[in-house]
Structure formats: structure tokens, C-alpha cells
Amino acid sequence: MEDEEDAIEEAETEINDVRTSILEVQETIHAIFAEQMSSNGVIPDGVEAAEDPTYEVGSEAIIEADHMPGMYGAEATIAGAFDTVAYSVTYYPTTGGEPVENHKWVIHEELEDPGEAPLEPGTEVVLDADHMKGMNGATAVIESAEDTTVYMVDFTTTAGKEVENHKWVTESELSPVE
């Protein structure tokens, strides 16, 4: 009986060690995503500040998008509001590997020599954006285009990680703080 209790106690200890390891890995993943979601806040040349955005700079909104883990439901502070065309793209990272499908969002001013907006789905472009590693200079294909107000936002992920100057969230991906 005592051997059985020792075995159970040893198994419980191992299970707790595994749980701790999983939590540490999750924490590391959330930290990496938060770092990738942040930017230096530099706005591309030619982007026009929104004249009458729904969410004013400095105001708060709830993020209703899940581009990256920890975004959905996070409370954001608006760091910038701009009228432009936002594209969902599939791009082929300059670092190699599998294509990144349906990345949201790249704005018209973050494309190399894009011509007149909006571009049609299926158009091949070169990205001049560094939202993610391997994105700048990557070849991409336009999946969709949306003429909208895009927002640069600061927020704390639902896992507690700070994100500054995240590019981009569209107006339809925000809701008022109640």
C-alpha cells in the first residue's frame, strides 16, 4: 500500500513538473508574439491622418480581432488613425519557410511602387513593411482590399504582455469600451 502511495505521489509530482514546463513555454510564446506585434511607430510616407475617425487618438477601444494570440478582447489605446486601403495578403517570407496566408493588415503605403489604390485580389506585390520577421521585401499576393480607417494601437495582451504601436487594426475590428 505504501509503495502504491509513493508511486501516486511521484506521478503527481511529475505531472506538476510538466504543467510548470507547459506554462513556461506558453509564457515564452506570448512574449515572442507581443514583441512581434510591437513596432517602432514610424508611419509610412504618404499615409493621411484620418480627419474624423470613430476612435480618436488617445481614446480606448476593445480589439475584436485575433490576428495574433492575446489580441481578441484586449483593451487598446489608439496611437494613430489613418485613412487608407488595408490589404489582407499571403506573403512568402524572405527568411524562407511556408507562406504566411491571409496576413492582416498591410496598408497601400507599405507596398513597393503600388500604383493606384485599391489593388485587385490576385495582384502580386512586394512588401515594404516590417510587421513580422521576413516580411520586408517579401513577394505577396493581395487576398482582399478594404478602404477604411486603420488604427495603430497600444495594448496589453490577454496574457499580460505589453504591445506598443501595433500596426494595423481596422475600424471594423474595434468596438467601444463600455
Side-chain angles (χ1 to χ4, degrees), residues 90-168:
T90 293
Y91 72 93
Y92 302 84
T94 59
T95 54
E98 296 296 314
V100 176
E101 296 182 1
N102 203 32
H103 174 82
K104 294 181 179 176
W105 298 97
V106 175
I107 62 173
H108 192 76
E109 296 79 4
E110 293 176 315
L111 305 177
E112 287 186 12
D113 304 318
E116 190 107 3
L119 299 176
E120 294 295 319
T123 303
E124 190 171 289
V125 295
V126 175
L127 304 178
D128 187 15
D130 59 359
H131 307 179
M132 306 286 288
K133 188 175 181 181
M135 181 180 254
N136 197 27
T139 299
V141 175
I142 302 292
E143 300 292 342
S144 67
E146 192 174 315
D147 192 356
T148 187
T149 301
V150 294
Y151 295 88
M152 183 166 59
V153 294
D154 298 334
F155 65 98
T156 301
T157 68
T158 55
K161 300 296 178 190
E162 296 293 322
V163 176
E164 292 185 351
N165 300 316
H166 175 72
K167 298 174 186 173
W168 305 101

Side-chain angles (χ1 to χ4, degrees), residues 10 19 29 33 36 42-43 46 50 64 68 73 76 81 92 95 108 110 125 142 148 150-151 174 176:
E10 186 176 319
R19 285 184 181 140
I29 289 169
F33 279 132
Q36 286 184 346
V42 173
I43 305 304
E64 303 288 347
M68 303 285 278
Y92 302 84
T95 54
H108 192 76
E110 293 176 315
V125 295
I142 302 292
T148 187
V150 294
Y151 295 88
L174 295 172

Side-chain angles (χ1 to χ4, degrees), residues 47-51 53 55-57 78-83 149-152:
V47 178
E48 298 289 326
E51 288 188 31
Y55 302 96
E56 298 282 338
V57 173
I78 305 302
F82 308 92
D83 289 329
T149 301
V150 294
Y151 295 88
M152 183 166 59

